[in-house]
Amino acid sequence: MNTLLRRSALVRRALPAALVATALISGCSTGAAGKVKDSESSTSSAPSAAANGSDAGPLKPVSGGKGQDDPALQSFYKQKLGWAACPDDPKTDGDETGLECAKMRVPLDYANPGARSIDIAVMRYKAGDGGSRIGSLLTNPGGPGASGLDYLENTVQDLSPDVHRSFDVVGFDPRGVGKSTAVRCLTDAERDQRNSEDGPDPKDQAASKAFSDKRAKDFAAGCQAKSGDLLKFVGTRNVARDMDVLRYLVGDKKLNYLGFSYGTYLGALYAEEFPGRTGRLVLDGAVDPAADQLDESVGQQVGFEQSFTRFAKDCATRAGCPLGSDPAKAATNGVDFLDSLRTNPLPTDDARRKLTSSLAWTGMIRLLYADESQGWKALRETFAAAMQRGDGSLFLRFADDYNGRDERGRYDNSMDVLTVVGCADSMADAPSPARVQETLAKLRAQAPLFSRDASADDFDGPGCEFWPFRTPEKPHTVKAAGSAPILVVGTTGDPATPYAASQKLAQGFEKATLLTLEGEGHTAYSRGNQCIDDAVDAYLLEGTMPAQGTRCK
């Protein structure tokens, strides 16, 4: 979803800790940019119809649930997937050995399926033991914008051997993403400039607003010019419909699914669209579908500050902590340093780029997605390099990883997708003055460091006011009446999708169980906690739910 405040990049996208660990290792030991990116920063808003001369009429909702029973969709449900060994991709560090790839055709517009089709890139890792095969396990690593193909290449080996023996593990790039028919909005050079820009002094509210508005309009115009009609049809509900086509084509009567972060929203909408076709759904690091963009952004701002404060207090108890030895002041020292880079950027090992405040904030947020054992150690080392040695290279690497930038300066399209899907999923009206003041008061009380430059102007629009269409989608509680039982997994110290969202998602479903990890970091499964992994595996393999209220330390 769209970023609320300019100071930092807080959004609802992240990948499981297995990928976070990969990035931490590569960032701190090899000096290379991480393989995968995590969450995305979106300044965004985007072009109004008046600005672009495009159709601003509302999209019409399409009733779902028919899928394979809809005569108009038969050509899509009856196609054959041409599975073949995945070619080596020199752009990634993933291992394609044992993976099969295919392309799936789906309608651009499910309301007019005969008009135009688009391609969805699909990948699978076949079950290791045909005798115990249950079916396929579709996966989504988060986003919107994360590549399901990258996820499968980098993490499929982290799933338990029993899951491998029993499921063909399937990943896909959702419409708009990666190797599927993809959206594009900005060039690599434009992304570099945006990611490093600190903008005017936040105290100059008029200049800051003008700066943000121009970026929003430029971004929207770029999307309209480069992606055109695709923009209207990349919303999550359409991805859920694509997922039902894929479920049918891999031969499953019901969907078995493992979704992380934004992938929980995708899983929830699938259950809402096709409740009778749900099998075993695991939704880890949940998004609350009923939260609007303002609530969601505020929750993340608070969650990240709380996580950073816990890190800083822990750091202050360790010898040589770059944030100082006083636990009460360590977090403030860290934020003061990040803000000081607005006027005193640091050199890096990339002679063409310096570490600006914006990039440093992004790198710091990236590291807070990991747990205490990995992320906090890396964050201490990163602050030490910058504050004690004047070297911004580590911060820059983690910012690049977060932003989807590789070592050659090329960006994937995940940042573009984040905003495009956010505006296709929800276009809330601008909040009332009373709600703005209420939100500011909440932020200043619960996230005083991360929101200390916040002003009413940060809330003056819904985030998509320059977009060329209106969407009918709105935040709502997903009940998924008639679905199979759903397993929701939440982490108490999750900064990106705060634990309260997992609680609310589970409470909203007609039938769901909440499994809790008490700890830090984003998502819980396949992070090395045996209690969580055993409970999720038992559900996937046997359909056995953990007891309601189960908590793992």
Side-chain angles (χ1 to χ4, degrees):
M1 282 299 185
N2 295 330
T3 303
L4 172 62
L5 300 178
R6 302 181 182 96
R7 146 187 297 298
S8 55
L10 309 181
V11 292
R12 79 175 187 188
R13 162 145 99 64
L15 302 182
L19 292 189
V20 175
T22 300
L24 295 182
I25 293 169
S26 63
C28 285
S29 63
T30 69
K35 293 181 186 176
V36 294
K37 67 240 161 284
D38 205 346
S39 41
E40 157 129 35
S41 142
S42 154
T43 28
S44 145
S45 314
S48 73
N52 294 283
S54 55
D55 177 13
L59 293 176
K60 295 180 179 179
V62 180
S63 59
K66 290 183 179 180
Q68 68 197 53
D69 300 323
D70 186 341
L73 298 177
Q74 289 305 296
S75 65
F76 299 102
Y77 277 90
K78 297 299 183 183
Q79 67 184 294
K80 301 293 184 184
L81 294 179
W83 293 108
C86 295
D88 179 65
D89 186 351
K91 296 180 182 179
T92 71
D93 295 326
D95 183 4
E96 291 87 3
T97 304
L99 296 170
E100 295 180 326
C101 289
K103 286 283 180 127
M104 178 177 74
R105 186 172 50 86
V106 296
L108 172 67
D109 180 2
Y110 275 88
N112 188 15
R116 176 185 166 191
S117 64
I118 58 175
D119 289 332
I120 304 298
V122 184
M123 179 183 286
R124 74 178 176 187
Y125 188 84
K126 296 192 72 173
D129 181 355
S132 63
R133 183 181 181 277
I134 294 173
S136 296
L137 178 65
L138 271 63
T139 60
N140 180 275
S147 167
L149 273 59
D150 288 350
Y151 166 70
L152 206 60
E153 287 183 17
N154 286 289
T155 69
V156 70
Q157 299 296 342
D158 294 320
L159 297 176
S160 75
D162 288 338
V163 169
H164 274 304
R165 282 192 290 269
S166 301
F167 290 100
D168 294 341
V169 185
V170 178
F172 66 102
D173 281 355
R175 56 174 59 208
V177 175
K179 294 181 180 178
S180 295
T181 301
V183 298
R184 276 289 180 185
C185 299
L186 299 176
T187 66
D188 291 339
E190 289 168 335
R191 272 287 172 208
D192 264 347
Q193 179 181 356
R194 279 175 172 255
N195 292 339
S196 62
E197 280 180 331
D198 288 334
D201 186 332
K203 294 182 177 63
D204 187 341
Q205 295 181 13
S208 293
K209 185 177 186 306
F211 174 79
S212 294
D213 284 351
K214 183 180 185 306
R215 283 167 60 105
K217 290 177 182 178
D218 290 348
F219 177 83
C223 292
Q224 184 69 9
K226 294 180 175 66
S227 300
D229 290 343
L230 188 58
L231 300 178
K232 293 184 179 181
F233 303 108
V234 295
T236 303
R237 196 169 297 276
N238 278 331
V239 179
R241 292 167 179 159
D242 297 342
M243 199 155 63
D244 192 62
V245 177
L246 182 54
R247 169 203 58 80
Y248 186 90
L249 295 181
V250 297
D252 288 355
K253 292 183 179 180
K254 294 184 182 293
L255 177 76
N256 301 308
Y257 176 73
L258 176 60
F260 298 92
S261 197
Y262 159 80
T264 66
Y265 180 57
L266 173 57
L269 287 196
Y270 182 90
E272 184 174 61
E273 285 275 307
F274 307 102
R277 295 178 194 148
T278 54
R280 298 168 187 174
L281 271 61
V282 178
L283 309 181
D284 184 0
V287 170
D288 177 12
D292 64 18
Q293 293 179 7
L294 186 60
D295 287 336
E296 189 174 69
S297 296
V298 168
Q300 287 184 323
Q301 195 89 335
V302 172
F304 274 105
E305 174 154 330
Q306 290 175 346
S307 181
F308 180 70
T309 300
R310 289 191 293 269
F311 154 75
K313 288 181 177 178
D314 176 82
C315 179
T317 67
R318 299 172 183 270
C321 172
L323 306 183
S325 58
D326 185 345
K329 297 179 180 179
T332 301
N333 292 341
V335 170
D336 286 346
F337 170 74
L338 296 176
D339 284 349
S340 74
L341 297 174
R342 296 178 63 86
T343 54
N344 296 292
L346 291 181
T348 70
D349 55 10
D350 184 337
R352 295 168 298 177
R353 296 192 295 159
K354 289 189 174 183
L355 180 70
T356 62
S357 179
S358 180
L359 286 168
W361 271 95
T362 302
M364 184 269 286
I365 292 296
R366 174 67 180 85
L367 287 166
L368 289 177
Y369 276 92
D371 63 17
E372 309 97 309
S373 64
Q374 299 173 39
W376 287 10
K377 180 177 184 292
L379 192 51
R380 287 194 302 272
E381 294 173 357
T382 301
F383 266 110
M387 296 178 74
Q388 297 172 349
R389 301 192 294 276
D391 182 358
S393 302
L394 286 177
F395 267 123
L396 181 63
R397 284 182 202 125
F398 288 116
D400 284 349
D401 176 70
Y402 184 102
N403 288 325
R405 186 186 195 273
D406 68 17
E407 295 173 344
R408 294 160 290 185
R410 298 173 183 170
Y411 286 86
D412 61 28
N413 75 330
S414 59
M415 293 295 225
D416 293 345
V417 174
L418 179 76
T419 299
V420 171
V421 173
C423 291
D425 277 354
S426 176
M427 287 182 173
D429 294 329
S432 68
R435 190 173 180 211
V436 167
Q437 293 306 314
E438 177 186 346
T439 301
L440 276 172
K442 179 179 179 180
L443 275 173
R444 286 168 179 161
Q446 299 183 24
L449 291 176
F450 281 31
S451 67
R452 63 187 182 186
D453 292 330
S455 70
D457 287 338
D458 291 315
F459 310 93
D460 63 356
C464 304
E465 60 267 34
F466 303 112
W467 215 240
F469 64 87
R470 298 290 295 175
T471 177
E473 294 287 349
K474 294 184 181 298
H476 64 285
T477 297
V478 175
K479 295 185 179 298
S483 76
I486 296 170
L487 179 58
V488 178
V489 187
T491 302
T492 57
D494 191 327
T497 52
Y499 180 63
S502 293
Q503 293 175 303
K504 290 177 181 177
L505 179 64
Q507 290 166 359
F509 284 133
E510 184 178 76
K511 291 181 288 188
T513 295
L514 176 62
L515 173 66
T516 300
L517 173 63
E518 296 180 357
E520 300 291 327
H522 183 52
T523 75
Y525 181 59
S526 290
R527 277 176 44 182
N529 185 287
Q530 201 63 45
C531 172
I532 292 289
D533 292 353
D534 287 348
V536 172
D537 287 352
Y539 175 60
L540 288 174
L541 297 168
E542 302 162 13
T544 303
M545 277 286 189
Q548 190 70 264
T550 297
R551 300 177 76 89
C552 300
K553 295 184 183 297

